Structures are given as C-alpha cells and as structure tokens.
C-alpha cells in the first residue's frame, strides 16, 4: 500500500509540472517583445505579481519556517527565475518612464519579502508561529493572484467568445489547482489549501465557459474571416467603463491566467 507521504510527493511532482507549464506560458509573448525590441502595450504587472508570489512561497517553504516543503521551494524557486527573467526583459525593452516604474516596483517587492523573512526568522521562535505569519501573507497575495482570471472570464461572457482564453492554459490552471489542493490535504496545510482550492474553482469555471462558448467562438471567427475584417491579433474591444479602445495583442493573454502556483 502506498504511504501518504509517497502519494503526497507524487502529487507534488505533478503540481510542479503543471505549475511549470503555467510559468512558461508567456514565452511566446516575450519572444514577440524580443523580436520587436519593445514591450508595446504589454503590462509588467502580472509578472511582478507572480514574482512576488513566488518569493513569498519560497520563504514559506524554508526549513526554518515550514519544514518538509521542498517541493514548494523547487517550483517557486524555478518560477522566481522565470518571472525575474520576464521582468528583466521588460526593463530592457521599456521606455524611460515605464522602465522606472517597473524597477521601483521590483525593488519594493525585494524589500518587502526581505522584511518579512528577517522579522519572521528573528521575532517568531516556533515553526507554527512562523508558518502562520508567512502563510497568512501567502494566502492573501495568492488569493489575489487566483482572482486575476476573473477579468478574462468576464471578457468571455461579455463577448461570448473564448478567443482570448486558451484552452491549454485553462486546463493547466485547473490541473495545477487540483494537484496542490490534494497535496495540501494529504498532510493538511491550510495555507496551501485556501488559494489552490480557489484556483481549482476558477479553473473549472474557465473550462465550463470554454465548453459553453466554443462553438459560438468558431462561428464568430468564420464570419469575421469570411468578411475579411480585422484579424485576430487586432481585435478592438471597447471598455464599457472608460469608453477607451483597447488593442488586444496577437497572443491574447499576457500572463494573467498563468499565475497559479502553491
């Protein structure tokens, strides 16, 4: 019979794989940025947010904070390197003002995580206390991260099209949420359970929307192609709140829906 610890390790490894897929999903966007030598209208916010999330979970997984969490450290350490690479590319190919904003936010994030780590390790004197403090911070920011796809889901419902919600990412997000929720339940960890159970629900919601609007999306795309209207990469969507016109880039998402990790 397979022990609970062995099952937890297997599920954690699967969670590492699904999370890695999500971390790497913006690569086509950054290939485009690299080729054009410009970030154009892409935002650094999703990558800065994911970077912060990874750093906080690394602190949580430290042996001095929450022992026996090596799989949490491995995937978030990998995510940290990947997301930092994305942010560095933003710094290289942004204009002056945007570059300064990204650099300031990056420094603020490093300072915030360092503050949390130093104060927890010096002022909290038990694993339970340290886990509670860092875990609570992780839950707060992790919940915000998992709520990010709500904007994409709203767009799908409004346009009745899944054009900018790739099925592969939605499936990976759902699988990732399931893996890490199971991982947290085998040896109960409330702080990993909360954000990842929300991720599972949001991932399932995306898959339901995909099934609901897939046929309508295909019909709309055929109609647009038949009429010779503007292409997929230049669809103009009007923001009903600001009445501004927003140009959706060719790659659709810019990393918002791939921010799911433990």
């Amino acid at each position: 019979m397979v022990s609970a610890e062995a099952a937890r390790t297997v599920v954690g490894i699967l969670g590492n794989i699904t999370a890695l897929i999500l971390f790497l999903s913006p690569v086509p966007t950054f290939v485009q940025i690299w080729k054009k030598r410009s970030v154009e209208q892409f935002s650094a916010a999703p990558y800065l947010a994911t970077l912060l999330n990874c750093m906080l979970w690394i602190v949580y997984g430290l042996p001095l904070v929450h022992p026996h969490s090596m799989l949490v450290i491995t995937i978030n350490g990998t995510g940290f390197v990947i997301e930092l690479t994305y942010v560095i590319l933003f710094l290289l190919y942004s204009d002056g003002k945007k570059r300064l904003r990204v650099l300031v936010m990056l420094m603020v994030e490093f300072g915030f995580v360092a503050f949390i780590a130093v104060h927890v390790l010096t002022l909290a004197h038990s694993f339970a206390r340290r886990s509670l403090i860092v875990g609570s911070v992780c839950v707060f920011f992790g919940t915000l991260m998992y709520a990010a796809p709500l904007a994409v889901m709203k767009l799908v419902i409004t346009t009745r099209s899944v054009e900018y919600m790739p099925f592969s990412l939605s499936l990976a997000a759902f699988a990732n949420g399931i893996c890490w929720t199971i991982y947290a339940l085998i040896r109960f960890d409330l702080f990993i359970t909360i954000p990842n159970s929300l991720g599972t629900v949001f991932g399932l919601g995306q898959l339901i929307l995909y099934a609901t609007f897939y046929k309508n999306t295909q019909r709309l795309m055929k109609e647009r192609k038949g009429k010779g209207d503007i292409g997929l990469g230049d669809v103009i969507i009007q923001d009903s709140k600001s009445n501004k016109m927003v140009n959706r880039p060719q790659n659709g998402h810019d990393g918002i829906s791939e921010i799911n990790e433990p």
Side-chain angles (χ1 to χ4, degrees):
M1 184 176 179
V2 180
S3 67
E5 193 60 34
R8 188 172 187 261
T9 299
V10 171
V11 174
I13 292 173
L14 292 175
N16 272 239
I17 294 171
T18 55
L20 182 60
I21 292 172
L22 293 174
F23 283 135
L24 292 175
S25 61
V27 167
T29 295
F30 282 91
V31 169
Q32 179 180 335
I33 289 173
W34 177 72
K35 287 181 178 179
K36 294 185 176 181
R37 298 293 192 270
S38 172
V39 298
E40 298 180 308
Q41 299 303 314
F42 289 106
S43 171
Y47 313 106
L48 286 166
T50 308
L51 180 65
L52 174 61
N53 210 40
C54 287
M55 289 191 289
L56 289 171
W57 282 110
I58 290 172
V59 175
Y60 179 80
L62 292 175
L64 292 176
V65 177
H66 194 78
H68 312 297
S69 300
M70 184 54 64
L71 289 172
V72 174
I73 293 178
T74 55
I75 188 54
N76 285 285
T78 303
F80 168 79
V81 173
I82 294 172
E83 298 300 326
L84 183 60
T85 301
Y86 295 155
V87 173
I88 290 173
L89 286 173
F90 252 93
L91 290 172
L92 290 175
Y93 297 122
S94 298
D95 57 32
K97 291 183 178 180
K98 183 178 288 188
R99 180 183 294 118
L100 180 60
R101 286 197 299 270
V102 173
L103 183 60
V104 169
M105 285 302 302
L106 183 62
M107 293 300 102
V108 169
E109 288 187 0
F110 282 144
F112 175 70
V113 175
F115 174 83
I116 293 291
V118 170
H119 279 72
V120 164
L121 293 175
T122 55
L123 299 180
H125 303 296
S126 67
F127 292 138
R129 184 71 173 172
R130 292 170 180 172
S131 297
L132 174 63
I133 296 171
V134 181
S136 298
V137 176
C138 288
V139 167
F140 176 75
F141 286 101
T143 301
L144 293 180
M145 292 284 293
Y146 274 120
L150 289 174
V152 178
M153 295 169 72
K154 179 182 178 182
L155 177 65
V156 170
I157 295 172
T158 301
T159 62
R160 303 182 65 81
S161 170
V162 294
E163 207 169 343
Y164 296 106
M165 190 177 72
F167 175 78
S168 57
L169 286 183
S170 299
L171 181 61
F174 177 63
N176 186 64
I178 287 179
C179 287
W180 286 108
T181 300
I182 294 174
Y183 174 89
L185 291 175
I186 291 176
R187 193 174 69 197
F188 188 66
D189 188 321
L190 179 64
F191 304 113
I192 295 180
T193 302
I194 292 174
N196 285 284
S197 59
L198 288 175
T200 301
V201 172
F202 289 139
L204 178 61
Q206 290 180 58
L207 292 177
I208 292 173
L209 286 177
Y210 200 93
T212 302
F213 295 115
Y214 176 77
K215 290 184 178 180
N216 189 61
T217 302
Q218 297 301 306
R219 181 182 60 80
L220 292 173
M221 292 173 65
K222 287 180 180 179
E223 289 179 358
R224 186 164 58 235
K225 186 176 180 180
K227 293 178 181 179
D229 288 345
I230 43 182
L232 278 177
D234 300 305
V235 175
I236 305 299
I237 300 172
Q238 184 170 7
D239 187 330
S240 59
K241 292 184 178 179
S242 64
N243 289 323
K244 293 179 180 178
M245 303 304 287
V246 181
N247 187 23
R248 303 290 296 187
Q250 179 68 31
N251 287 313
H253 69 89
D254 58 353
I256 293 177
S257 61
E258 55 281 85
I259 38 210
N260 302 295
E261 76 281 335

